[in-house]
């Protein structure tokens, strides 16, 4: 039995009467190969996953202690005296790092980390009120809740984050149970969820969370327990949006006045009628992910229609080349169509992660490679930029241009982003492969070894490459013979290998960005050394055969440096180019370019070369060539210069100088 099925079976045994597996009407037609069945071996992601495990996770746990986030739970538990400190949503930072730690434990046992989680869980259990309610901001001193929390439970759901916090707890509790088999945290989550089932719903209290997240958490609880009521509650919270204003209204001078806007929290229309990505971009991305879960797990076609429409809007009008989303800093929100400022770009790390969650879900729903194209663009660029190479400095915003002086921070007062990266990285191996029936999908070119069962036979897939630096990917497929079999094992199935859109002359799905010029080469597919015509279906090269040990599929992707232009409607990028090589977007940074980057112009005719620099930024391919310095004095001619560009994700690791992704063409 593979990951999810085995997990349901474990739960079925442990949960006793709680578990009614298989009650839901449907699930995603495509199933990811669980990251616990995939061993990453590559030189690009593995060091980052290791840094995340050894530096980032312990660092954030320490910061949660030092900033009073854990103490809030101790105070709510009666173990410590004093008022609630920090933001009303700080509980979520604890839950998110517990989720990260749990994923890490699944592939790397660590008794000390496991003990630290047990200790935290004991405190969280004591902080939970007898009926299941959990929100330290109120429990510590119910008569004096902090600003925004609302006078009573649920009285200010637009602002309070009561449901947002526990949504993260559900995700963490499921991860912890999967990692350790221990029920303590899951029981806390289920007690809370049961309390919500008795509180919210048709004929009970109505309302919706101002910040989405619980929908994703409830879908995970449903998957873990088979209790379909959780799924119905997720759908209820989504369907409540767009019908009425709830909670408090604030005067214009209040820092909370932003919450008066229905658009800000996606309450301007019922979700099924929403056609445009608007408002706070993290909320939106979490909502779209929750909608995808509802679409798949309830089998609702109108939900599928709604999220497909929203995706088209996003990729054709509102997404940055880096996969980042959210243009407006002051409201952390989407801008209008084509409003994509580079220097002021908000592009929160959490929004990129939410966009990755959503695109993965759309792939699992539709099995189309275009969603993996967007996912790949996000993870190699606008998401990975969120954490430093050292693992302990972070970006909240990921702009595409800097005039200098903008750098990474050790932590934030609103610290959603660091723990979000920390939980994404260890689960990344779960995005590489997927299944649908006997078909096997390869979405990401991350060297790894995956063990799966096809037609009841064990098959090992080994992927080797120097991606994203080089474009040759070797995929060995090996059916494993049972010990008693004398003959070589043979298994017939179809392997779908993603042919990235960028290798087919499409910079990113949608028509926002296009490559300039023609490609010099096409992808080449070889089977056991012999080139074959690519049989393309939904963006995948389809290879069907009776696989035997020794079979190798080799894919060669053209790794030229391509110039990218944006649609003319994007005023900020007019007459500019960006550089892309493979999945990576490049930028010029002052430190490589004589202390300045914003005066570099790149003429169309300038030749570009790519070279691997093993000693730079952990080893990167840099792009260089001749460019011009735009004249500073009136009428002075542009001076010829050479320039060096680095992968965007790696900027701001050597000081906080100027940086630009988009360069003037003249
Ligand atoms: Zn964030």
């Amino acid at each position: 039995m593979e990951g999810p099925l085995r997990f349901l079976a474990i739960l079925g045994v442990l949960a006793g009467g709680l578990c009614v597996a298989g009650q839901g009407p449907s699930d995603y037609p495509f199933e990811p190969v669980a990251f616990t069945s995939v061993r990453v071996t590559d030189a690009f992601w593995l060091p980052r996953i290791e840094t995340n495990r050894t530096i980032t996770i312990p660092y954030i746990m320490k910061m949660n202690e030092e900033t009073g986030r854990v103490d809030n739970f101790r105070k709510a538990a009666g173990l410590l005296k004093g008022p609630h400190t920090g933001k009303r949503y700080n509980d979520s930072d604890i839950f998110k790092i517990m989720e990260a730690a749990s994923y890490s434990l699944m592939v790397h046992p660590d008794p000390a980390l496991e003990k630290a989680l047990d200790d935290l869980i004991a405190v969280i259990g004591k902080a939970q009120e007898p009926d299941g309610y959990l929100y330290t901001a109120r429990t510590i001193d119910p008569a004096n809740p902090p600003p925004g929390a609302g006078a009573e439970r649920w009285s200010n759901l637009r602002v309070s984050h009561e449901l947002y916090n526990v949504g993260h707890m559900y995700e963490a509790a499921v991860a912890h149970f999967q990692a350790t088999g221990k029920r303590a945290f899951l029981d806390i989550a289920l007690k809370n969820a049961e309390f919500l089932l008795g509180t919210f719903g048709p004929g009970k209290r109505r309302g919706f969370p101002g910040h989405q997240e619980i929908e994703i958490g409830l879908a995970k609880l449903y998957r873990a327990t088979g209790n379909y009521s959780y799924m119905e509650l997720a759908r209820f919270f989504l369907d409540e949006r767009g019908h009425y204003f709830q909670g408090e209204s604030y005067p214009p001078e209040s820092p909370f006045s932003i919450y008066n806007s229905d658009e800000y929290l996606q309450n301007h229309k019922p979700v099924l009628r929403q056609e445009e990505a608007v408002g706070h971009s993290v909320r939106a991305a979490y909502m779209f992910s929750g909608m995808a879960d509802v679409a798949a797990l309830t089998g609702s076609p109108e939900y599928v229609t709604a999220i497909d429409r929203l995706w088209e809007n996003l990729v054709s009008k509102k997404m940055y080349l880096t996969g980042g989303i959210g243009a407006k800093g002051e409201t952390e929100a989407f801008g209008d169509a084509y409003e994509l400022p580079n220097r002021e770009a908000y592009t929160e790390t959490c929004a990129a992660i939410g966009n990755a969650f959503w695109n993965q879900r759309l792939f699992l729903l539709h099995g189309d490679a275009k969603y993996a194209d967007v996912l790949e663009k996000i993870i190699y660029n606008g998401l990975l930029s969120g954490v430093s190479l050292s693992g302990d400095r972070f970006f909240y915003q990921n702009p595409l241009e800097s005039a200098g002086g903008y750098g990474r921070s050790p932590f934030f007062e609103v610290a959603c982003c660091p723990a979000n990266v920390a939980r994404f990285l260890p689960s990344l191996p779960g995005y590489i492969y997927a299944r649908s029936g006997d078909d096997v999908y390869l979405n990401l070119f991350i060297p790894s070894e995956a063990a799966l069962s096809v037609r009841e036979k064990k098959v090992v897939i080994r992927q080797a490459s120097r991606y994203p630096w080089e474009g040759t990917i070797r995929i060995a497929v090996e059916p494993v013979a049972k010990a008693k079999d004398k003959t070589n094992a043979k298994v017939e199935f179809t392997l779908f290998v993603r042919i990235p859109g960028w290798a087919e002359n499409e910079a990113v799905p949608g028509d926002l960005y296009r490559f300039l010029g023609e490609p010099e080469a096409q992808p080449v597919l070889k089977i056991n050394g012999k080139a074959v015509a690519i049989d393309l279906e939904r963006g995948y090269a389809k290879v069907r055969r009776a696989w035997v040990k020794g079979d190798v599929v080799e894919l060669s992707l053209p790794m030229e440096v391509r110039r990218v232009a944006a649609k003319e409607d994007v005023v900020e990028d007019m007459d500019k180019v960006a550089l892309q090589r493979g999945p990576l977007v490049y930028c010029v940074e002052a430190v490589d370019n004589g202390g300045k980057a914003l005066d570099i112009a790149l003429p169309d005719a300038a030749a570009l070369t790519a070279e691997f620099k093993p000693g730079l930024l952990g080893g990167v391919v840099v792009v260089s060539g001749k460019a011009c310095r735009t004249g500073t004095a009136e009428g002075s001619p542009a001076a010829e210069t050479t320039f060096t560009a680095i992968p965007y994700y790696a900027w701001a690791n050597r000081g906080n100088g100027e940086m630009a992704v988009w360069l003037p063409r003249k």
Side-chain angles (χ1 to χ4, degrees):
M1 243 183 304
E2 295 212 358
L5 268 181
R6 185 168 54 88
F7 175 48
L8 265 181
I10 293 171
L11 267 168
V13 173
L14 291 174
L18 190 82
C19 180
V20 192
Q23 198 183 355
S26 59
D27 204 332
Y28 284 103
F30 295 80
E31 179 195 359
V33 174
F35 67 83
T36 44
S37 302
V38 179
R39 191 171 63 86
V40 168
T41 56
D42 86 332
F44 185 85
W45 288 105
L46 191 58
R48 284 164 181 82
I49 294 170
E50 272 302 284
T51 300
N52 188 63
R53 182 178 73 79
T54 58
I55 308 282
T56 312
I57 292 174
Y59 175 78
I60 294 173
M61 290 178 78
K62 178 172 79 81
M63 294 306 285
N64 283 344
E65 277 290 357
E66 288 178 5
T67 55
R69 284 167 160 84
V70 184
D71 278 347
N72 282 335
F73 284 92
R74 295 194 181 102
K75 290 169 187 170
L79 302 169
L80 191 69
K81 292 231 175 312
H84 181 271
T85 61
K87 303 287 185 186
R88 61 205 177 283
Y89 37 77
N90 281 3
D91 291 1
S92 66
D93 299 329
I94 308 294
F95 300 139
K96 263 195 292 198
I97 204 64
M98 294 175 77
E99 185 186 350
S102 298
Y103 293 152
S104 181
L105 283 179
M106 283 186 212
V107 286
H108 201 287
D110 178 342
L113 182 60
E114 195 171 333
K115 168 77 167 54
L117 292 186
D118 288 343
D119 293 347
L120 269 174
I121 291 163
V123 176
I124 293 168
K126 290 198 180 97
Q128 184 171 36
E129 298 194 21
D131 60 4
Y133 184 78
L134 183 53
Y135 182 59
T136 67
R138 188 180 317 284
T139 304
I140 290 171
D141 184 2
N144 299 291
E152 310 284 339
R153 286 179 178 187
W154 323 125
S155 66
N156 199 21
L157 276 178
R158 293 168 73 92
V159 187
S160 69
H161 290 68
E162 282 158 297
L163 296 171
Y164 167 85
N165 287 351
V166 296
H168 276 303
M169 176 172 71
Y170 299 167
E171 289 202 80
V174 170
H176 183 260
F177 178 75
Q178 284 177 313
T180 64
K182 295 178 187 172
R183 287 202 56 107
F185 199 10
L186 186 63
D187 284 340
I188 294 170
L190 293 177
K191 187 175 176 182
N192 182 269
E194 288 300 311
F195 172 60
L196 293 190
L197 284 180
T199 305
F200 290 97
K204 301 172 205 165
R205 180 184 276 273
R206 294 185 60 181
F208 59 89
H211 198 314
Q212 300 85 337
E213 160 60 27
I214 195 167
E215 303 83 358
I216 294 173
L218 284 165
K220 287 194 175 176
L221 274 193
Y222 157 58
R223 273 243 175 75
T225 62
N227 184 347
Y228 192 62
S229 310
Y230 299 141
M231 213 51 243
E232 290 174 322
L233 185 60
R235 180 168 187 164
F236 169 79
F237 284 137
L238 287 168
D239 289 341
E240 279 289 274
R241 305 188 101 83
H243 299 290
Y244 57 93
F245 186 92
Q246 67 175 1
E248 296 171 27
S249 188
Y250 294 91
E253 66 277 12
S254 162
F256 291 137
S257 61
I258 186 87
Y259 289 96
N260 296 341
S261 159
D262 277 324
E263 203 166 83
Y264 174 77
L265 35 80
Q266 296 83 33
N267 187 44
H268 58 298
K269 280 182 187 178
V271 295
L272 293 177
R273 291 199 359 240
Q274 296 192 19
E275 296 171 341
E276 191 182 350
V278 297
H280 188 276
S281 58
V282 179
R283 290 164 202 253
Y286 285 9
M287 182 174 90
F288 302 155
S289 299
M291 287 173 71
D293 284 344
V294 167
L297 298 171
T298 71
S300 158
E302 60 270 37
Y303 261 84
V304 178
T305 307
I307 50 169
D308 286 353
R309 198 170 52 210
L310 287 161
W311 187 85
E312 287 296 336
N313 173 259
L314 186 92
V315 299
S316 66
K317 296 189 171 63
K318 301 203 174 186
M319 191 171 75
Y320 284 95
L321 183 61
T322 54
I325 53 173
K328 293 159 93 97
E330 68 276 17
T331 48
E332 306 194 329
F334 288 103
D336 293 333
Y338 309 116
E339 183 184 354
L340 294 163
N342 291 312
R343 198 175 300 183
E344 298 79 24
Y346 160 60
T347 46
E348 183 179 338
T349 303
C350 287
I353 291 172
N355 198 17
F357 289 159
W358 183 34
N359 276 280
Q360 168 72 352
R361 283 165 167 77
L362 286 172
F363 159 74
L364 296 175
L365 194 59
H366 295 303
D368 195 306
K370 65 185 179 183
Y371 304 111
D373 284 348
V374 177
L375 173 75
E376 182 184 64
K377 185 55 73 61
I378 299 165
I379 63 172
Y380 281 94
N381 300 287
L383 189 161
L384 192 54
S385 57
V387 60
S388 67
L389 296 176
S390 63
D392 58 357
R393 292 293 180 272
F394 307 93
F395 273 151
Y396 191 100
Q397 285 152 271
N398 296 269
L400 281 76
E401 185 177 301
S402 170
Y406 178 66
R408 299 169 189 279
S409 298
F411 213 58
F412 306 97
E413 189 188 6
V414 177
C416 47
C417 298
N420 227 348
V421 178
R423 72 175 176 143
F424 185 84
L425 284 174
S427 67
L428 177 63
Y431 293 76
I432 303 174
Y433 305 95
R435 304 278 307 273
S436 180
D438 292 325
D439 297 335
V440 178
Y441 285 75
L442 194 160
N443 270 343
L444 296 177
F445 304 114
I446 300 179
S448 54
E449 186 177 302
L452 40 152
S453 161
V454 185
R455 295 181 185 269
E456 294 172 356
K457 285 195 177 134
K458 189 179 169 196
V459 176
V460 175
I461 295 179
R462 288 190 191 84
Q463 198 189 147
S465 72
R466 290 202 67 243
Y467 198 82
W469 313 123
E470 293 175 14
T472 301
I473 295 124
R474 201 170 171 276
I475 306 152
V477 180
E478 184 183 332
V480 181
K482 289 199 178 100
K484 60 180 167 31
D485 287 350
K486 293 275 185 289
T487 54
N488 269 346
K490 189 184 264 194
V491 187
E492 186 170 350
F493 66 92
T494 306
L495 177 67
F496 289 81
V497 181
R498 176 173 148 258
I499 305 296
W502 58 257
E504 297 276 8
N505 208 25
E506 182 188 60
V508 194
D511 62 354
L512 255 184
Y513 306 101
R514 67 181 196 284
F515 286 133
L516 297 172
E518 293 304 314
E520 286 166 15
Q522 298 294 324
V524 175
L525 191 73
K526 289 181 184 167
I527 298 172
N528 295 331
K530 213 170 135 220
V532 295
I534 291 176
D535 178 8
L536 206 63
E537 186 176 307
R538 288 169 283 117
Y540 294 91
K542 220 171 123 181
V543 186
R544 182 167 188 88
R545 56 189 284 125
W547 301 91
V548 292
K549 185 176 176 177
D551 279 344
V552 173
V553 175
E554 192 179 284
L555 175 66
S556 296
L557 299 170
M559 300 301 274
E560 311 156 39
V561 183
R562 302 291 307 270
R563 286 175 163 82
V564 182
K567 202 171 177 177
E568 310 75 64
D569 306 77
V570 186
V571 177
E572 292 269 346
D573 301 338
M574 207 187 287
D575 300 322
K576 291 182 178 176
V577 284
L579 299 175
Q580 185 175 320
R581 182 176 182 272
L584 295 171
V585 174
Y586 277 73
C587 69
V588 288
E589 199 178 15
V591 64
D592 302 306
N593 294 285
K596 289 182 77 62
L598 296 184
D599 62 348
I600 295 173
L602 184 61
D604 287 354
L608 302 168
T609 57
E611 186 189 355
F612 186 70
K613 300 264 190 190
L616 183 66
L617 296 163
V620 293
V621 166
V622 300
V623 172
S624 53
K626 288 212 162 57
C628 300
R629 295 281 178 182
T630 49
T632 43
E634 188 78 21
S636 67
E640 205 173 85
T641 186
T642 53
F643 82 99
T644 298
I646 60 162
Y648 169 77
Y649 75 80
W651 87 279
N653 279 290
R654 297 167 296 164
N656 305 332
E658 293 180 358
M659 181 279 291
V661 168
W662 291 96
L663 308 175
R665 295 166 75 174
K666 286 180 185 122

Short mmCIF file of all heavy atoms in Angstrom, two decimals, residues 489-519:
data_model
loop_
_atom_site.label_atom_id
_atom_site.label_comp_id
_atom_site.label_asym_id
_atom_site.label_seq_id
_atom_site.Cartn_x
_atom_site.Cartn_y
_atom_site.Cartn_z
N ALA A 489 11.86 -9.06 -14.26
CA ALA A 489 10.50 -8.56 -14.13
C ALA A 489 10.20 -7.64 -15.31
O ALA A 489 11.08 -6.98 -15.85
CB ALA A 489 10.38 -7.79 -12.83
N LYS A 490 8.94 -7.63 -15.71
CA LYS A 490 8.50 -6.80 -16.82
C LYS A 490 7.16 -6.19 -16.42
O LYS A 490 6.30 -6.89 -15.91
CB LYS A 490 8.34 -7.70 -18.05
CG LYS A 490 8.10 -6.96 -19.34
CD LYS A 490 7.85 -7.94 -20.48
CE LYS A 490 9.12 -8.23 -21.25
NZ LYS A 490 8.88 -8.90 -22.54
N VAL A 491 7.03 -4.87 -16.57
CA VAL A 491 5.76 -4.23 -16.26
C VAL A 491 5.41 -3.26 -17.38
O VAL A 491 6.22 -2.39 -17.73
CB VAL A 491 5.81 -3.43 -14.93
CG1 VAL A 491 4.42 -2.93 -14.57
CG2 VAL A 491 6.37 -4.25 -13.81
N GLU A 492 4.20 -3.39 -17.91
CA GLU A 492 3.78 -2.48 -18.97
C GLU A 492 2.99 -1.32 -18.37
O GLU A 492 2.04 -1.54 -17.61
CB GLU A 492 2.93 -3.21 -20.00
CG GLU A 492 2.60 -2.32 -21.18
CD GLU A 492 1.96 -3.06 -22.34
OE1 GLU A 492 1.93 -4.30 -22.32
OE2 GLU A 492 1.49 -2.37 -23.26
N PHE A 493 3.43 -0.13 -18.65
CA PHE A 493 2.67 1.05 -18.26
C PHE A 493 3.16 2.25 -19.06
O PHE A 493 4.16 2.16 -19.79
CB PHE A 493 2.77 1.32 -16.75
CG PHE A 493 4.15 1.70 -16.25
CD1 PHE A 493 4.53 3.03 -16.16
CD2 PHE A 493 5.06 0.72 -15.85
CE1 PHE A 493 5.79 3.39 -15.68
CE2 PHE A 493 6.31 1.07 -15.37
CZ PHE A 493 6.69 2.40 -15.29
N THR A 494 2.43 3.36 -18.92
CA THR A 494 2.81 4.57 -19.66
C THR A 494 3.48 5.54 -18.72
O THR A 494 2.95 5.86 -17.66
CB THR A 494 1.58 5.23 -20.31
OG1 THR A 494 0.90 4.26 -21.10
CG2 THR A 494 2.00 6.39 -21.20
N LEU A 495 4.65 5.99 -19.12
CA LEU A 495 5.37 7.03 -18.38
C LEU A 495 5.13 8.35 -19.11
O LEU A 495 5.41 8.45 -20.31
CB LEU A 495 6.86 6.70 -18.32
CG LEU A 495 7.76 7.73 -17.63
CD1 LEU A 495 7.47 7.80 -16.13
CD2 LEU A 495 9.24 7.38 -17.86
N PHE A 496 4.59 9.31 -18.39
CA PHE A 496 4.35 10.64 -18.95
C PHE A 496 5.45 11.56 -18.44
O PHE A 496 5.51 11.86 -17.25
CB PHE A 496 2.99 11.18 -18.52
CG PHE A 496 1.82 10.49 -19.16
CD1 PHE A 496 1.35 9.27 -18.68
CD2 PHE A 496 1.16 11.07 -20.24
CE1 PHE A 496 0.27 8.64 -19.27
CE2 PHE A 496 0.07 10.45 -20.83
CZ PHE A 496 -0.38 9.23 -20.35
N VAL A 497 6.33 11.97 -19.34
CA VAL A 497 7.44 12.85 -18.96
C VAL A 497 7.09 14.27 -19.40
O VAL A 497 6.84 14.53 -20.58
CB VAL A 497 8.75 12.41 -19.64
CG1 VAL A 497 9.89 13.33 -19.22
CG2 VAL A 497 9.07 10.96 -19.30
N ARG A 498 7.07 15.17 -18.44
CA ARG A 498 6.70 16.55 -18.77
C ARG A 498 7.71 17.19 -19.72
O ARG A 498 8.92 17.11 -19.50
CB ARG A 498 6.62 17.39 -17.48
CG ARG A 498 6.33 18.84 -17.72
CD ARG A 498 6.10 19.60 -16.41
NE ARG A 498 6.58 20.96 -16.58
CZ ARG A 498 7.72 21.43 -16.11
NH1 ARG A 498 8.49 20.66 -15.37
NH2 ARG A 498 8.08 22.66 -16.34
N ILE A 499 7.21 17.75 -20.79
CA ILE A 499 8.04 18.59 -21.67
C ILE A 499 7.72 20.03 -21.28
O ILE A 499 6.62 20.51 -21.54
CB ILE A 499 7.71 18.35 -23.16
CG1 ILE A 499 7.84 16.86 -23.52
CG2 ILE A 499 8.61 19.21 -24.04
CD1 ILE A 499 9.23 16.29 -23.40
N PRO A 500 8.65 20.70 -20.61
CA PRO A 500 8.31 22.03 -20.09
C PRO A 500 7.89 22.98 -21.21
O PRO A 500 8.45 22.93 -22.31
CB PRO A 500 9.63 22.52 -19.47
CG PRO A 500 10.49 21.31 -19.31
CD PRO A 500 10.05 20.34 -20.36
N GLY A 501 6.92 23.82 -20.92
CA GLY A 501 6.49 24.81 -21.89
C GLY A 501 7.66 25.65 -22.38
O GLY A 501 7.75 25.99 -23.56
N TRP A 502 8.59 25.98 -21.46
CA TRP A 502 9.72 26.83 -21.87
C TRP A 502 10.61 26.15 -22.91
O TRP A 502 11.29 26.82 -23.67
CB TRP A 502 10.54 27.32 -20.67
CG TRP A 502 11.13 26.25 -19.79
CD1 TRP A 502 10.66 25.85 -18.57
CD2 TRP A 502 12.29 25.46 -20.04
NE1 TRP A 502 11.44 24.84 -18.06
CE2 TRP A 502 12.46 24.60 -18.94
CE3 TRP A 502 13.21 25.40 -21.09
CZ2 TRP A 502 13.49 23.67 -18.86
CZ3 TRP A 502 14.24 24.47 -21.01
CH2 TRP A 502 14.38 23.62 -19.91
N ALA A 503 10.58 24.81 -22.96
CA ALA A 503 11.36 24.10 -23.97
C ALA A 503 10.59 24.03 -25.29
O ALA A 503 11.13 23.62 -26.32
CB ALA A 503 11.69 22.69 -23.48
N GLU A 504 9.32 24.41 -25.25
CA GLU A 504 8.48 24.44 -26.45
C GLU A 504 8.18 25.88 -26.84
O GLU A 504 7.13 26.19 -27.40
CB GLU A 504 7.16 23.69 -26.17
CG GLU A 504 7.34 22.22 -25.86
CD GLU A 504 7.43 21.36 -27.13
OE1 GLU A 504 7.51 21.92 -28.23
OE2 GLU A 504 7.43 20.13 -26.97
N ASN A 505 9.08 26.78 -26.47
CA ASN A 505 8.99 28.18 -26.88
C ASN A 505 7.88 28.97 -26.19
O ASN A 505 7.38 29.95 -26.72
CB ASN A 505 8.83 28.28 -28.41
CG ASN A 505 9.39 29.58 -28.95
OD1 ASN A 505 10.28 30.20 -28.33
ND2 ASN A 505 8.88 30.03 -30.08
N GLU A 506 7.48 28.54 -24.99
CA GLU A 506 6.50 29.28 -24.22
C GLU A 506 7.15 29.66 -22.88
O GLU A 506 7.44 28.79 -22.06
CB GLU A 506 5.26 28.41 -23.98
CG GLU A 506 4.16 29.14 -23.23
CD GLU A 506 3.02 28.21 -22.83
OE1 GLU A 506 3.25 27.23 -22.08
OE2 GLU A 506 1.89 28.48 -23.28
N ALA A 507 7.36 30.96 -22.66
CA ALA A 507 8.10 31.40 -21.46
C ALA A 507 7.39 30.95 -20.19
O ALA A 507 8.00 30.43 -19.26
CB ALA A 507 8.28 32.90 -21.47
N VAL A 508 6.08 31.18 -20.14
CA VAL A 508 5.22 30.79 -19.01
C VAL A 508 3.84 30.54 -19.61
O VAL A 508 3.48 31.19 -20.59
CB VAL A 508 5.08 31.94 -17.97
CG1 VAL A 508 4.50 31.43 -16.67
CG2 VAL A 508 6.40 32.63 -17.71
N PRO A 509 3.04 29.63 -19.07
CA PRO A 509 1.66 29.50 -19.56
C PRO A 509 0.92 30.83 -19.51
O PRO A 509 1.17 31.64 -18.61
CB PRO A 509 1.04 28.48 -18.60
CG PRO A 509 2.19 27.66 -18.13
CD PRO A 509 3.34 28.63 -18.03
N GLY A 510 0.00 31.03 -20.46
CA GLY A 510 -0.69 32.31 -20.56
C GLY A 510 0.05 33.19 -21.55
O GLY A 510 1.13 32.84 -22.03
N ASP A 511 -0.52 34.33 -21.85
CA ASP A 511 0.10 35.17 -22.88
C ASP A 511 0.74 36.44 -22.32
O ASP A 511 0.98 37.40 -23.01
CB ASP A 511 -0.94 35.53 -23.96
CG ASP A 511 -2.09 36.34 -23.38
OD1 ASP A 511 -2.14 36.52 -22.14
OD2 ASP A 511 -2.94 36.80 -24.16
N LEU A 512 1.03 36.44 -21.02
CA LEU A 512 1.64 37.63 -20.41
C LEU A 512 3.08 37.81 -20.86
O LEU A 512 3.56 38.93 -21.02
CB LEU A 512 1.63 37.50 -18.88
CG LEU A 512 0.63 38.31 -18.07
CD1 LEU A 512 0.88 38.09 -16.59
CD2 LEU A 512 0.66 39.79 -18.42
N TYR A 513 3.80 36.71 -21.04
CA TYR A 513 5.22 36.78 -21.37
C TYR A 513 5.51 35.91 -22.58
O TYR A 513 4.93 34.84 -22.73
CB TYR A 513 6.06 36.30 -20.17
CG TYR A 513 5.72 37.04 -18.89
CD1 TYR A 513 4.91 36.47 -17.92
CD2 TYR A 513 6.19 38.34 -18.69
CE1 TYR A 513 4.57 37.17 -16.76
CE2 TYR A 513 5.85 39.04 -17.55
CZ TYR A 513 5.05 38.45 -16.58
OH TYR A 513 4.71 39.15 -15.45
N ARG A 514 6.42 36.38 -23.43
CA ARG A 514 6.80 35.59 -24.61
C ARG A 514 8.30 35.68 -24.81
O ARG A 514 8.94 36.66 -24.45
CB ARG A 514 6.06 36.10 -25.85
CG ARG A 514 6.49 37.48 -26.27
CD ARG A 514 5.74 38.00 -27.49
NE ARG A 514 6.44 39.14 -28.08
CZ ARG A 514 6.43 40.37 -27.58
NH1 ARG A 514 5.74 40.63 -26.48
NH2 ARG A 514 7.11 41.34 -28.16
N PHE A 515 8.85 34.62 -25.40
CA PHE A 515 10.26 34.64 -25.77
C PHE A 515 10.44 35.50 -27.00
O PHE A 515 9.61 35.49 -27.91
CB PHE A 515 10.77 33.23 -26.07
CG PHE A 515 10.96 32.36 -24.86
CD1 PHE A 515 10.47 31.05 -24.85
CD2 PHE A 515 11.66 32.82 -23.75
CE1 PHE A 515 10.66 30.23 -23.74
CE2 PHE A 515 11.85 31.99 -22.64
CZ PHE A 515 11.35 30.71 -22.64
N LEU A 516 11.54 36.21 -27.06
CA LEU A 516 11.92 36.92 -28.28
C LEU A 516 12.80 35.99 -29.11
O LEU A 516 13.58 35.21 -28.56
CB LEU A 516 12.68 38.20 -27.94
CG LEU A 516 11.89 39.25 -27.14
CD1 LEU A 516 12.79 40.39 -26.70
CD2 LEU A 516 10.72 39.78 -27.97
N GLY A 517 12.70 36.10 -30.42
CA GLY A 517 13.54 35.28 -31.28
C GLY A 517 13.06 33.83 -31.31
O GLY A 517 12.09 33.46 -30.65
N GLU A 518 13.74 33.04 -32.09
CA GLU A 518 13.36 31.64 -32.26
C GLU A 518 14.31 30.74 -31.47
O GLU A 518 15.48 31.06 -31.32
CB GLU A 518 13.40 31.26 -33.74
CG GLU A 518 12.33 31.96 -34.58
CD GLU A 518 10.92 31.71 -34.05
OE1 GLU A 518 10.61 30.54 -33.74
OE2 GLU A 518 10.16 32.68 -33.91
N PRO A 519 13.82 29.62 -30.99
CA PRO A 519 14.72 28.70 -30.28
C PRO A 519 15.71 28.05 -31.24
O PRO A 519 15.41 27.84 -32.41
CB PRO A 519 13.77 27.66 -29.70
CG PRO A 519 12.57 27.69 -30.60
CD PRO A 519 12.45 29.11 -31.09
#
